[in-house]
Amino acid sequence: MGMISINGLSKRFERRAVLDELTLSIEAGDRIALIGSNGAGKTTLFRCLLGHYRYQGAVEFDGAGAARRDVGMLSRIAFVPQLPPPLRMPVGELLSFAEKGAGADRTRMTEIAEAMGIDLDEIRRQPFYRLSGGQKQKVLVTVALARDVDLMIFDEPAANLDPAARAVFIDLLAARKSASMLIASHRLEEVAPLVNRVIEMDRGKVVLDDSVVDRLKAGVLSSCRIGLSEPHPTFAAALTDWGFETSNGTHFEGRIPAGDTLRFLGLISRYASLIDLLSLDTGKS
């Protein structure tokens, strides 16, 4: 799958605009960390890409619009949702469907599940919806990673994983070189080594789209300016810890090491709804 082009994408639920004229291009090979506060529109964007929702605007895969987004196109995408679906089928039946209907490799599923600390044979007869949250997430991740796809979409994929399984999951993603990825995560520091772009959403729009590859060079500092819609003492204290200065409590200026860019963005993403201005300019130290 090549480029995904999103133009003027809008989605409303009743009177609320969850996506608001969003425009974005995703190139083949991109590995994107999607950040933003709850309600920013990340999950709705995923659902629109997958064809789960009707929407206004245009989404094109390799130049093909929604009218040509057939089963063959969607079969090239793997998706792990934030909330596992309440499937009543036994796990064994789900795995068989994944193998025969979605092209998951049976041997690979066994290997991935074992690495993540779950024995598929032990839970094969159990209905999926009766598994624990962690077990459900491990099964869904196992199925997704065992498929040969072009695009992988993960919505808070490690939220229900124990620390050991989370570490294995990140290692498995790092080893997957062939697929593009969209990863929504509140743990930006975990996915930082995996991605080449960070996209921040707020109120249904893209407010930051930054390449991280060049910024991670040693010895590079980024000049940063941040403007808030209103003073926020907790946010101000956090920026002070990073060496930022302010004259009025709403506009801040400072410099951050390039290697800490993703960690810094993870911090400020918690306050996305307050940020009116964000500027990052890379320069030599």
Short mmCIF file of all heavy atoms in Angstrom, two decimals, residues 208-254:
data_model
loop_
_atom_site.label_atom_id
_atom_site.label_comp_id
_atom_site.label_asym_id
_atom_site.label_seq_id
_atom_site.Cartn_x
_atom_site.Cartn_y
_atom_site.Cartn_z
N LEU A 208 0.08 19.38 15.02
CA LEU A 208 1.52 19.20 14.90
C LEU A 208 1.79 17.99 14.03
O LEU A 208 1.19 16.93 14.21
CB LEU A 208 2.16 18.97 16.28
CG LEU A 208 3.65 18.61 16.28
CD1 LEU A 208 4.48 19.83 15.88
CD2 LEU A 208 4.09 18.10 17.65
N ASP A 209 2.66 18.14 13.05
CA ASP A 209 3.09 17.04 12.20
C ASP A 209 4.59 17.20 12.03
O ASP A 209 5.06 18.04 11.28
CB ASP A 209 2.38 17.08 10.85
CG ASP A 209 2.70 15.88 9.97
OD1 ASP A 209 3.60 15.09 10.34
OD2 ASP A 209 2.06 15.73 8.92
N ASP A 210 5.35 16.39 12.78
CA ASP A 210 6.78 16.63 12.88
C ASP A 210 7.57 15.36 12.55
O ASP A 210 7.25 14.27 13.02
CB ASP A 210 7.12 17.09 14.30
CG ASP A 210 8.51 17.71 14.38
OD1 ASP A 210 9.03 18.14 13.33
OD2 ASP A 210 9.06 17.76 15.48
N SER A 211 8.59 15.50 11.73
CA SER A 211 9.53 14.41 11.47
C SER A 211 10.49 14.31 12.64
O SER A 211 11.00 15.32 13.11
CB SER A 211 10.30 14.67 10.18
OG SER A 211 11.34 13.74 10.02
N VAL A 212 10.73 13.09 13.12
CA VAL A 212 11.58 12.94 14.29
C VAL A 212 12.96 12.41 13.95
O VAL A 212 13.86 12.43 14.78
CB VAL A 212 10.93 12.01 15.36
CG1 VAL A 212 9.61 12.56 15.78
CG2 VAL A 212 10.80 10.59 14.83
N VAL A 213 13.16 11.92 12.74
CA VAL A 213 14.44 11.30 12.40
C VAL A 213 15.58 12.30 12.51
O VAL A 213 16.59 12.07 13.19
CB VAL A 213 14.40 10.70 10.97
CG1 VAL A 213 15.77 10.17 10.60
CG2 VAL A 213 13.37 9.58 10.91
N ASP A 214 15.44 13.46 11.86
CA ASP A 214 16.51 14.45 11.88
C ASP A 214 16.72 15.04 13.27
O ASP A 214 17.81 15.44 13.64
CB ASP A 214 16.19 15.58 10.90
CG ASP A 214 16.24 15.09 9.47
OD1 ASP A 214 16.91 14.08 9.22
OD2 ASP A 214 15.60 15.71 8.61
N ARG A 215 15.66 15.11 14.06
CA ARG A 215 15.75 15.73 15.37
C ARG A 215 16.49 14.87 16.39
O ARG A 215 16.87 15.35 17.44
CB ARG A 215 14.35 16.05 15.90
CG ARG A 215 13.60 17.06 15.06
CD ARG A 215 12.37 17.53 15.79
NE ARG A 215 11.56 18.41 14.97
CZ ARG A 215 11.82 19.69 14.75
NH1 ARG A 215 12.89 20.23 15.29
NH2 ARG A 215 11.03 20.42 13.99
N LEU A 216 16.66 13.60 16.09
CA LEU A 216 17.28 12.71 17.06
C LEU A 216 18.79 12.68 16.94
O LEU A 216 19.44 11.88 17.60
CB LEU A 216 16.70 11.30 16.90
CG LEU A 216 15.20 11.19 17.21
CD1 LEU A 216 14.74 9.74 17.05
CD2 LEU A 216 14.87 11.70 18.58
N LYS A 217 19.38 13.53 16.11
CA LYS A 217 20.83 13.57 16.00
C LYS A 217 21.45 14.14 17.27
O LYS A 217 20.95 15.08 17.86
CB LYS A 217 21.24 14.44 14.80
CG LYS A 217 20.80 13.87 13.45
CD LYS A 217 21.18 14.81 12.34
CE LYS A 217 20.73 14.25 10.99
NZ LYS A 217 21.03 15.19 9.88
N ALA A 218 22.54 13.56 17.66
CA ALA A 218 23.22 14.03 18.87
C ALA A 218 23.71 15.45 18.69
O ALA A 218 24.15 15.85 17.61
CB ALA A 218 24.38 13.10 19.20
N GLY A 219 23.65 16.22 19.75
CA GLY A 219 24.18 17.57 19.74
C GLY A 219 23.27 18.62 19.15
O GLY A 219 23.65 19.78 19.03
N VAL A 220 22.04 18.25 18.78
CA VAL A 220 21.10 19.20 18.19
C VAL A 220 20.09 19.63 19.25
O VAL A 220 19.56 18.81 19.98
CB VAL A 220 20.38 18.59 16.98
CG1 VAL A 220 19.31 19.54 16.44
CG2 VAL A 220 21.39 18.25 15.89
N LEU A 221 19.84 20.93 19.31
CA LEU A 221 18.82 21.48 20.20
C LEU A 221 17.70 22.08 19.37
O LEU A 221 17.93 22.58 18.27
CB LEU A 221 19.40 22.56 21.11
CG LEU A 221 20.46 22.13 22.13
CD1 LEU A 221 21.00 23.36 22.86
CD2 LEU A 221 19.87 21.13 23.13
N SER A 222 16.48 21.98 19.88
CA SER A 222 15.34 22.57 19.21
C SER A 222 14.83 23.76 20.02
O SER A 222 14.57 23.62 21.23
CB SER A 222 14.20 21.54 19.06
OG SER A 222 14.60 20.48 18.24
N SER A 223 14.71 24.90 19.38
CA SER A 223 14.10 26.06 20.01
C SER A 223 12.59 25.88 19.98
O SER A 223 12.02 25.55 18.93
CB SER A 223 14.48 27.35 19.29
OG SER A 223 15.88 27.56 19.35
N CYS A 224 11.97 26.11 21.11
CA CYS A 224 10.54 25.83 21.22
C CYS A 224 9.81 27.03 21.79
O CYS A 224 10.25 27.64 22.76
CB CYS A 224 10.33 24.60 22.11
SG CYS A 224 8.60 24.12 22.30
N ARG A 225 8.67 27.34 21.19
CA ARG A 225 7.77 28.36 21.71
C ARG A 225 6.39 27.74 21.89
O ARG A 225 5.90 27.03 21.01
CB ARG A 225 7.67 29.56 20.76
CG ARG A 225 8.97 30.35 20.62
CD ARG A 225 8.76 31.61 19.80
NE ARG A 225 8.30 31.30 18.46
CZ ARG A 225 7.24 31.87 17.87
NH1 ARG A 225 6.51 32.75 18.54
NH2 ARG A 225 6.91 31.55 16.64
N ILE A 226 5.78 28.01 23.02
CA ILE A 226 4.46 27.48 23.33
C ILE A 226 3.57 28.61 23.84
O ILE A 226 3.99 29.41 24.69
CB ILE A 226 4.54 26.37 24.40
CG1 ILE A 226 5.37 25.19 23.89
CG2 ILE A 226 3.15 25.90 24.81
CD1 ILE A 226 5.58 24.09 24.90
N GLY A 227 2.37 28.68 23.32
CA GLY A 227 1.39 29.64 23.79
C GLY A 227 0.16 28.94 24.30
O GLY A 227 -0.36 28.02 23.66
N LEU A 228 -0.31 29.32 25.48
CA LEU A 228 -1.49 28.74 26.10
C LEU A 228 -2.69 29.67 25.97
O LEU A 228 -2.55 30.90 25.95
CB LEU A 228 -1.24 28.45 27.58
CG LEU A 228 -0.10 27.49 27.95
CD1 LEU A 228 -0.09 27.27 29.45
CD2 LEU A 228 -0.22 26.17 27.21
N SER A 229 -3.87 29.10 25.94
CA SER A 229 -5.09 29.90 25.89
C SER A 229 -5.36 30.57 27.23
O SER A 229 -6.05 31.59 27.29
CB SER A 229 -6.28 29.03 25.49
OG SER A 229 -6.45 27.95 26.40
N GLU A 230 -4.81 29.99 28.32
CA GLU A 230 -4.98 30.55 29.66
C GLU A 230 -3.86 30.01 30.54
O GLU A 230 -3.28 28.96 30.25
CB GLU A 230 -6.34 30.16 30.25
CG GLU A 230 -6.55 28.66 30.36
CD GLU A 230 -7.94 28.28 30.79
OE1 GLU A 230 -8.90 28.70 30.09
OE2 GLU A 230 -8.07 27.58 31.83
N PRO A 231 -3.53 30.70 31.62
CA PRO A 231 -2.47 30.22 32.50
C PRO A 231 -2.82 28.88 33.12
O PRO A 231 -3.99 28.59 33.39
CB PRO A 231 -2.39 31.32 33.58
CG PRO A 231 -2.99 32.53 32.95
CD PRO A 231 -4.07 32.02 32.04
N HIS A 232 -1.80 28.05 33.33
CA HIS A 232 -2.00 26.74 33.96
C HIS A 232 -0.77 26.45 34.82
O HIS A 232 0.29 26.10 34.29
CB HIS A 232 -2.19 25.66 32.90
CG HIS A 232 -2.69 24.36 33.44
ND1 HIS A 232 -1.90 23.49 34.16
CD2 HIS A 232 -3.93 23.78 33.38
CE1 HIS A 232 -2.63 22.44 34.50
NE2 HIS A 232 -3.85 22.59 34.04
N PRO A 233 -0.89 26.61 36.14
CA PRO A 233 0.28 26.49 37.02
C PRO A 233 1.03 25.17 36.90
O PRO A 233 2.26 25.15 36.93
CB PRO A 233 -0.31 26.68 38.42
CG PRO A 233 -1.56 27.47 38.20
CD PRO A 233 -2.10 27.00 36.89
N THR A 234 0.29 24.05 36.76
CA THR A 234 0.95 22.74 36.68
C THR A 234 1.78 22.63 35.41
O THR A 234 2.92 22.15 35.41
CB THR A 234 -0.09 21.60 36.73
OG1 THR A 234 -0.87 21.72 37.92
CG2 THR A 234 0.59 20.24 36.71
N PHE A 235 1.21 23.10 34.30
CA PHE A 235 1.93 23.07 33.04
C PHE A 235 3.15 24.00 33.11
O PHE A 235 4.24 23.66 32.63
CB PHE A 235 1.00 23.50 31.91
CG PHE A 235 1.62 23.42 30.54
CD1 PHE A 235 2.01 22.21 30.00
CD2 PHE A 235 1.81 24.56 29.78
CE1 PHE A 235 2.58 22.13 28.74
CE2 PHE A 235 2.37 24.50 28.51
CZ PHE A 235 2.75 23.28 28.00
N ALA A 236 2.97 25.16 33.72
CA ALA A 236 4.08 26.11 33.85
C ALA A 236 5.22 25.52 34.66
O ALA A 236 6.40 25.68 34.32
CB ALA A 236 3.58 27.41 34.51
N ALA A 237 4.87 24.80 35.73
CA ALA A 237 5.90 24.17 36.55
C ALA A 237 6.66 23.11 35.77
O ALA A 237 7.88 22.96 35.89
CB ALA A 237 5.27 23.56 37.81
N ALA A 238 5.92 22.33 34.95
CA ALA A 238 6.56 21.29 34.14
C ALA A 238 7.53 21.90 33.15
O ALA A 238 8.64 21.39 32.95
CB ALA A 238 5.50 20.46 33.42
N LEU A 239 7.15 23.00 32.51
CA LEU A 239 8.04 23.64 31.55
C LEU A 239 9.24 24.28 32.24
O LEU A 239 10.35 24.32 31.68
CB LEU A 239 7.28 24.70 30.75
CG LEU A 239 6.29 24.18 29.70
CD1 LEU A 239 5.73 25.33 28.89
CD2 LEU A 239 6.93 23.16 28.77
N THR A 240 9.04 24.78 33.44
CA THR A 240 10.16 25.34 34.20
C THR A 240 11.21 24.28 34.46
O THR A 240 12.42 24.54 34.39
CB THR A 240 9.67 25.93 35.54
OG1 THR A 240 8.74 27.00 35.27
CG2 THR A 240 10.82 26.48 36.35
N ASP A 241 10.75 23.05 34.73
CA ASP A 241 11.69 21.94 34.93
C ASP A 241 12.52 21.67 33.68
O ASP A 241 13.62 21.13 33.77
CB ASP A 241 10.93 20.67 35.35
CG ASP A 241 10.36 20.77 36.76
OD1 ASP A 241 10.83 21.63 37.53
OD2 ASP A 241 9.43 20.00 37.07
N TRP A 242 11.98 22.02 32.51
CA TRP A 242 12.70 21.83 31.25
C TRP A 242 13.53 23.07 30.90
O TRP A 242 14.12 23.13 29.82
CB TRP A 242 11.72 21.54 30.12
CG TRP A 242 11.24 20.11 30.10
CD1 TRP A 242 10.30 19.54 30.90
CD2 TRP A 242 11.69 19.08 29.22
NE1 TRP A 242 10.13 18.22 30.58
CE2 TRP A 242 10.96 17.91 29.55
CE3 TRP A 242 12.62 19.02 28.18
CZ2 TRP A 242 11.15 16.69 28.89
CZ3 TRP A 242 12.80 17.81 27.52
CH2 TRP A 242 12.08 16.67 27.88
N GLY A 243 13.55 24.08 31.79
CA GLY A 243 14.36 25.26 31.55
C GLY A 243 13.68 26.34 30.74
O GLY A 243 14.33 27.27 30.25
N PHE A 244 12.35 26.24 30.57
CA PHE A 244 11.63 27.25 29.80
C PHE A 244 11.44 28.51 30.64
O PHE A 244 11.37 28.46 31.88
CB PHE A 244 10.26 26.71 29.36
CG PHE A 244 10.31 25.88 28.12
CD1 PHE A 244 10.98 24.66 28.10
CD2 PHE A 244 9.68 26.29 26.96
CE1 PHE A 244 11.02 23.88 26.95
CE2 PHE A 244 9.72 25.53 25.80
CZ PHE A 244 10.40 24.33 25.81
N GLU A 245 11.33 29.64 29.94
CA GLU A 245 11.09 30.91 30.59
C GLU A 245 9.77 31.50 30.09
O GLU A 245 9.36 31.27 28.95
CB GLU A 245 12.23 31.89 30.31
CG GLU A 245 13.57 31.42 30.88
CD GLU A 245 14.68 32.42 30.60
OE1 GLU A 245 14.44 33.37 29.82
OE2 GLU A 245 15.79 32.24 31.16
N THR A 246 9.12 32.27 30.97
CA THR A 246 7.87 32.94 30.61
C THR A 246 7.80 34.29 31.29
O THR A 246 8.34 34.48 32.39
CB THR A 246 6.65 32.09 31.01
OG1 THR A 246 5.44 32.79 30.63
CG2 THR A 246 6.64 31.82 32.52
N SER A 247 7.13 35.24 30.62
CA SER A 247 6.97 36.57 31.20
C SER A 247 5.56 36.81 31.71
O SER A 247 5.34 37.67 32.56
CB SER A 247 7.32 37.65 30.17
OG SER A 247 6.51 37.52 29.02
N ASN A 248 4.60 36.01 31.19
CA ASN A 248 3.21 36.26 31.55
C ASN A 248 2.42 35.01 31.92
O ASN A 248 1.23 35.08 32.17
CB ASN A 248 2.48 36.98 30.41
CG ASN A 248 2.54 36.19 29.10
OD1 ASN A 248 2.98 35.04 29.07
ND2 ASN A 248 2.13 36.81 28.03
N GLY A 249 3.07 33.85 31.93
CA GLY A 249 2.38 32.61 32.32
C GLY A 249 1.61 31.94 31.21
O GLY A 249 1.06 30.85 31.41
N THR A 250 1.57 32.53 30.01
CA THR A 250 0.88 31.90 28.89
C THR A 250 1.78 31.68 27.68
O THR A 250 1.47 30.86 26.82
CB THR A 250 -0.34 32.73 28.45
OG1 THR A 250 0.09 34.04 28.07
CG2 THR A 250 -1.37 32.82 29.56
N HIS A 251 2.89 32.41 27.58
CA HIS A 251 3.84 32.22 26.48
C HIS A 251 5.20 31.81 27.04
O HIS A 251 5.73 32.47 27.92
CB HIS A 251 3.97 33.51 25.65
CG HIS A 251 2.78 33.78 24.79
ND1 HIS A 251 1.61 34.31 25.30
CD2 HIS A 251 2.56 33.57 23.46
CE1 HIS A 251 0.73 34.43 24.32
NE2 HIS A 251 1.27 33.99 23.21
N PHE A 252 5.72 30.69 26.50
CA PHE A 252 6.94 30.10 27.03
C PHE A 252 7.95 29.93 25.89
O PHE A 252 7.58 29.63 24.75
CB PHE A 252 6.66 28.73 27.65
CG PHE A 252 5.68 28.76 28.79
CD1 PHE A 252 4.31 28.77 28.55
CD2 PHE A 252 6.12 28.77 30.12
CE1 PHE A 252 3.40 28.79 29.59
CE2 PHE A 252 5.22 28.79 31.16
CZ PHE A 252 3.86 28.80 30.91
N GLU A 253 9.22 30.09 26.24
CA GLU A 253 10.29 29.86 25.28
C GLU A 253 11.40 29.06 25.95
O GLU A 253 11.72 29.29 27.13
CB GLU A 253 10.86 31.18 24.74
CG GLU A 253 9.88 31.96 23.90
CD GLU A 253 10.54 33.13 23.20
OE1 GLU A 253 11.78 33.23 23.26
OE2 GLU A 253 9.80 33.94 22.60
N GLY A 254 11.97 28.12 25.20
CA GLY A 254 13.06 27.32 25.74
C GLY A 254 13.69 26.48 24.66
O GLY A 254 13.33 26.58 23.48
#
